C-alpha cells in the first residue's frame, strides 16, 4: 500500500469530494444539506487554505449519501 503524506491525502480527498458533488448535480448547497453540514463547512473542505480534513462523522455522511466507501 502506498504511503501518502498529509498534503497528498487532503488533495486526493478534495478531488474526490468535488467529483462526488459533480456526480450529485454540482450544487454545493444541496450536497451540504444532504450530508448534514453547513455550506461554508463544505466550501472550506473543498478550497481550504489550511490542511484540514473533515471529522469522521462527516466522512461517514459523505460516503453514505454518495454510496461510496469512506
Amino acid at each position: 500500500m502506498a504511503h501518502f503524506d498529509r498534503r497528498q491525502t487532503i488533495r486526493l480527498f478534495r478531488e474526490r469530494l468535488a467529483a462526488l458533488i459533480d456526480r450529485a448535480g454540482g450544487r454545493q448547497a444541496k450536497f451540504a444539506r444532504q450530508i448534514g453540514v453547513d455550506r461554508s463547512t463544505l466550501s472550506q473542505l473543498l478550497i481550504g487554505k489550511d490542511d484540514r480534513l473533515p471529522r469522521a462523522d462527516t466522512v461517514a455522511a459523505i460516503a453514505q449519501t454518495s454510496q461510496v466507501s469512506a
Side-chain angles (χ1 to χ4, degrees):
M1 183 172 177
H3 179 317
F4 288 101
D5 72 19
R6 184 171 176 83
R7 289 182 187 190
Q8 288 174 315
T9 301
I10 293 165
R11 180 187 53 77
L12 184 60
F13 173 80
R14 286 181 179 148
E15 289 173 3
R16 290 182 178 177
L17 178 57
L20 290 173
I21 293 168
D22 284 343
R23 189 177 86 184
R27 296 190 56 224
Q28 289 183 21
K30 181 179 178 184
F31 191 83
R33 280 192 306 276
Q34 289 174 334
I35 64 171
V37 300
D38 189 74
R39 186 184 55 79
S40 65
T41 300
L42 185 61
S43 292
Q44 289 173 359
L45 291 173
L46 287 166
I47 298 168
K49 295 178 179 152
D50 58 359
D51 290 345
R52 179 179 173 207
L53 285 169
R55 297 177 356 182
D57 60 327
T58 301
V59 172
I62 291 167
Q64 181 177 13
T65 299
S66 302
Q67 298 180 337
V68 296
S69 65

